[in-house]
Amino acid sequence: MHLHDAPYRIFSIGDAAITLDLGNVIDPALNRKVLAIREQILQQPFTGLLDCRIAYSSVTLVYDPVAVKKAHHPENTVFAFLQQYLEAAYHKAQALPDTATRTVRIPVCYEDGYGVDLEAAAAQLKLSPEKLITLHLSRSYRVYMIGFLPGFAYMGLTHEQLYIPRKAQPVPVKAGSVGITGRQTGIYPLHCPGGWYIIGRTPQPLFDACAEIPVLLQPGDEVQFYRISGKEFESLNRNG
Amino acid sequence: MGRYGYGNWGINPGGVMDPYAARVANMLVGNESTEAVMEIHFPGPQILFEQNALISLTGADFTPTLNDEPLPLWRPIVVRKNTVLHFPRLQWGARCYLAVHGGFNADKWLQSYSTNLKAGAGGHEGRKLEKGDELSFRESSIYFPALLKEGKDYRVLRWKAATGKTYQYPNELFFIRGNEWDQLEEQCRIELLENNFIIHPHSDRMGYRLKGVPLVRNEKTELVSSGVHFGTMQLLPDGQLIVLMADHQTAGGYPRIGHVISAHFPKLAQLRPSDCIHFTLVDIAMAEELLMAMQQELNILQLSCITQLNQQVCQS
């Protein structure tokens, strides 16, 4: 796909946020374009810009309308001014090369007591637990976005045989739990309620409030899981 | 107010629910309007002042008292040390703000004092305040004995913030169209505008769940997660709405029917479970205009407060 021809829409998310959306799909090329637009915005920010965050195929700017108006004196609304700004950023942004920013290797223990829903997920997918693990390890995953919790990475796409709907009710989930839902996989950085099927657990911390960069993963990263035993998990565990 | 710039790490802004009341609280005591304040929900705490202080209380009316004498809201008040502030009764609203001249010595995390409960960072040890906590505030250059009369526990200073239209028609909320507004069935769009919605007990700083006429979306496609904000009205799969509040997540996958305008966040923040909401559709130009008007009022208030405080301190 020629990225400059990708259709886009710009709309308000209230009177203090604006979104540029490239389409309701999970696609690595669109996600790369969105990251490139974010880079472009951060290189030429405007007075009043408070935050610039991406989702799968969209970028959202949070701004202070009063500060924007004071600094830029838009003829029309602040929204109309930012609409033009986003259009310009879209056209200026060069799609990033087709390689991941970096690859992060993350250990996962799939044993009993770690992958607490492994059996249930395997039964629902009509796979053996071992086959499910093999499929989960069979590819590396792109980090599309961080959201839901500090440092929670939405990754994909999983093998089509791993497609599984979300659980009906969220249940308490331990920090480090590795889950699957839809064709996504993710790691819970903190203890919290969650609706994904938990197939394993990592001893690797995903979030540390005291660190200079408190999150392990960033959008654009490539994640490769590798398997460890329960014994190795216990000697490595820093997730509490 | 709030922690901005870290959405890409999944870190939400948080911050106060009623930004207007919090700003005014700071202005009344001569602080920067974005200084850290204490957000109090009912039932509130009992606070022992171990030092003389210049304070203000704004927002919800929990009938505050100092050593059992009633204190006014929206006024600067000098309090003597060894007195107790108490909030015996809920009269109106949901969030009361306590500001102290000089500001609290709070924990700063990622450039903000706002408490992030999930990350356990910012504010006071990254958690809700508990019985027995001690908070310190920055030293002040005000000479308090000159402001307090012998035998009096407190003194209300003479200036007052008039909240004007901010909280008028408390249940009437303006909103602008969300990206998925057009996906609502036409009849449902009319019903949303004509009916009242009740705030469900399961409502908190993350979001208000509403109970009302079920709304139907004529498109069944699921949405991939995308941007949301404070005030976003999302449609849940059961046809009910949730309005996202200060501790909202950074992205969401439910259809965005509308967004409550910023100028009406103060009213929204002061509503409680079982209160009702009536929504009115406005355009973005109106939303911006009302916000600019509110800001202008705050600018005037800030200048007046500084002038008043300087005069008061010089006179005494």
Side-chain angles (χ1 to χ4, degrees):
Chain A
M1 187 197 301
H2 297 290
L3 280 167
H4 278 288
D5 302 338
Y8 66 89
R9 295 184 55 234
I10 297 173
F11 48 85
S12 68
I13 298 288
D15 52 31
I18 184 168
T19 291
L20 184 150
D21 195 327
L22 298 183
N24 189 35
V25 281
I26 301 178
D27 177 325
L30 294 187
N31 191 247
R32 274 198 297 277
K33 174 74 183 176
V34 156
L35 273 177
I37 296 169
R38 181 173 188 270
E39 278 307 308
Q40 173 63 35
I41 289 165
L42 295 184
Q43 274 169 30
Q44 292 181 336
F46 56 88
T47 308
L49 175 67
L50 297 176
D51 197 10
C52 176
R53 57 192 193 221
I54 67 149
Y56 282 107
S57 53
S58 64
V59 54
T60 294
L61 307 183
V62 179
Y63 58 91
D64 174 355
V66 176
V68 177
K69 181 151 186 164
K70 202 174 156 194
H72 303 280
H73 308 289
E75 251 174 69
N76 205 319
T77 56
V78 170
F79 171 74
F81 169 78
L82 293 180
Q83 207 171 5
Q84 282 180 5
Y85 168 89
L86 265 178
E87 271 171 28
Y90 170 88
H91 289 292
K92 270 187 242 164
Q94 300 296 318
L96 301 173
D98 191 5
T99 47
T101 329
R102 56 175 186 157
T103 299
V104 183
R105 283 170 51 78
I106 294 180
V108 182
C109 174
Y110 294 93
E111 287 178 15
D112 263 5
Y114 300 92
V116 293
D117 302 322
L118 181 66
E119 296 270 346
Q124 197 173 324
L125 296 171
K126 301 191 169 58
L127 298 169
S128 68
E130 198 49 44
K131 179 70 181 168
L132 190 158
I133 295 166
T134 308
L135 288 175
H136 190 246
L137 289 168
S138 69
R139 56 177 76 178
S140 63
Y141 300 105
R142 177 181 181 83
V143 175
Y144 281 90
M145 60 182 282
I146 310 285
F148 171 52
L149 284 172
F152 185 100
Y154 287 85
M155 294 177 269
L157 293 173
T158 57
H159 192 279
E160 56 195 12
Q161 278 182 276
L162 290 185
Y163 178 86
I164 190 164
R166 188 181 286 269
K167 287 188 207 170
Q169 288 293 331
V171 294
V173 170
K174 285 186 176 159
S177 292
V178 176
I180 53 172
T181 197
R183 288 189 60 194
Q184 305 164 100
T185 183
I187 310 167
Y188 287 83
L190 306 163
H191 300 286
C192 75
W196 295 25
Y197 283 86
I198 304 305
I199 58 167
R201 206 175 153 207
T202 180
Q204 170 75 53
L206 276 292
F207 175 77
D208 175 4
C210 301
E212 198 184 332
I213 296 176
V215 297
L216 176 71
L217 299 173
Q218 306 257 9
D221 285 346
E222 202 76 16
V223 167
Q224 177 67 59
F225 292 116
Y226 66 96
R227 191 173 186 172
I228 56 167
S229 68
K231 219 170 157 182
E232 287 169 294
F233 180 96
E234 293 310 327
S235 70
L236 291 170
N237 189 23
R238 292 198 286 132
N239 269 323
Chain B
M1 309 195 121
R3 180 175 289 103
Y4 288 96
Y6 304 97
N8 231 31
W9 293 347
I11 295 165
N12 63 11
V16 294
M17 292 276 273
D18 180 344
Y20 174 86
R23 280 168 196 268
V24 172
N26 274 323
M27 291 174 184
L28 284 167
V29 297
N31 289 348
E32 284 286 320
S33 69
T34 53
E35 188 57 69
V37 293
M38 188 189 296
E39 181 173 285
I40 298 164
H41 298 192
F42 196 81
Q46 293 200 32
I47 297 169
L48 168 68
F49 288 94
E50 295 182 338
Q51 296 295 333
N52 298 324
L54 171 60
I55 66 161
S56 67
L57 294 159
T58 63
D61 186 356
F62 301 153
T63 61
T65 61
L66 193 81
N67 284 1
D68 297 324
E69 283 190 69
L71 291 183
L73 293 165
W74 307 99
R75 301 283 294 264
I77 306 163
V78 181
V79 297
R80 191 184 289 283
K81 67 176 172 183
N82 295 321
T83 53
V84 176
L85 175 65
H86 183 203
F87 301 90
R89 212 160 38 79
L90 192 162
Q91 183 74 29
W92 175 83
R95 344 267 157 193
C96 174
Y97 295 90
L98 168 65
V100 57
H101 173 74
F104 291 102
N105 282 316
D107 305 333
K108 206 168 214 179
W109 181 57
L110 301 178
Q111 304 182 65
S112 167
Y113 293 121
S114 298
T115 308
N116 186 313
L117 293 176
K118 281 190 178 136
H124 186 74
E125 299 174 8
R127 59 166 172 80
K128 291 179 187 173
L129 294 173
E130 287 168 6
K131 191 175 169 178
D133 282 343
E134 281 185 30
L135 298 180
S136 69
F137 45 87
R138 296 189 199 104
E139 238 170 85
S140 144
S141 54
I142 296 176
Y143 182 62
F144 287 102
L147 290 170
L148 281 163
K149 294 202 175 80
E150 274 286 309
K152 290 278 188 191
D153 289 331
Y154 68 94
R155 176 170 165 200
V156 179
L157 301 183
R158 63 171 180 260
W159 58 102
K160 178 182 198 309
T163 57
K165 292 182 178 157
T166 308
Y167 300 99
Q168 256 184 10
Y169 312 113
N171 309 91
E172 297 290 326
L173 296 181
F174 287 5
F175 75 101
I176 60 173
R177 299 152 54 106
N179 191 48
E180 287 80 34
W181 165 257
D182 288 334
Q183 295 178 5
L184 274 187
E185 284 188 359
E186 200 185 343
Q187 186 54 31
C188 290
R189 279 180 256 158
I190 296 166
E191 282 174 346
L192 188 151
L193 297 172
E194 285 183 347
N195 289 280
N196 285 341
F197 291 81
I198 308 287
I199 298 177
H200 193 273
H202 289 181
S203 296
D204 54 22
R205 280 184 43 94
M206 279 184 71
Y208 288 0
R209 281 170 177 274
L210 305 186
K211 215 172 154 308
V213 49
L215 304 172
V216 184
R217 187 171 160 239
N218 53 30
E219 205 169 310
K220 297 295 167 221
T221 48
E222 280 200 34
L223 301 173
V224 304
S225 268
S226 157
V228 293
H229 194 55
F230 194 160
T232 297
M233 298 150 62
Q234 289 182 308
L235 182 66
L236 299 177
D238 64 0
Q240 298 294 329
L241 292 173
I242 182 167
V243 185
L244 302 184
M245 300 301 288
D247 283 343
H248 67 84
Q249 294 172 8
T250 47
Y254 294 127
R256 293 152 295 200
I257 301 306
H259 308 273
V260 175
I261 68 168
S262 298
H264 284 184
F265 288 176
K267 294 200 276 192
L268 179 62
Q270 295 300 349
L271 293 174
R272 289 195 308 267
S274 81
D275 282 345
C276 79
I277 295 177
H278 182 257
F279 289 111
T280 300
L281 185 60
V282 299
D283 62 14
I284 185 102
M286 164 84 101
E288 288 185 8
E289 208 173 292
L290 289 171
L291 183 63
M292 302 302 163
M294 176 181 275
Q295 184 60 42
Q296 209 147 30
E297 191 193 308
L298 285 173
N299 291 345
I300 295 167
L301 183 69
Q302 180 146 41
L303 284 176
S304 321
C305 284
I306 292 168
T307 314
Q308 292 287 343
L309 186 62
N310 286 341
Q311 280 177 7
Q312 182 80 53
V313 174
C314 293
Q315 274 169 19
S316 41

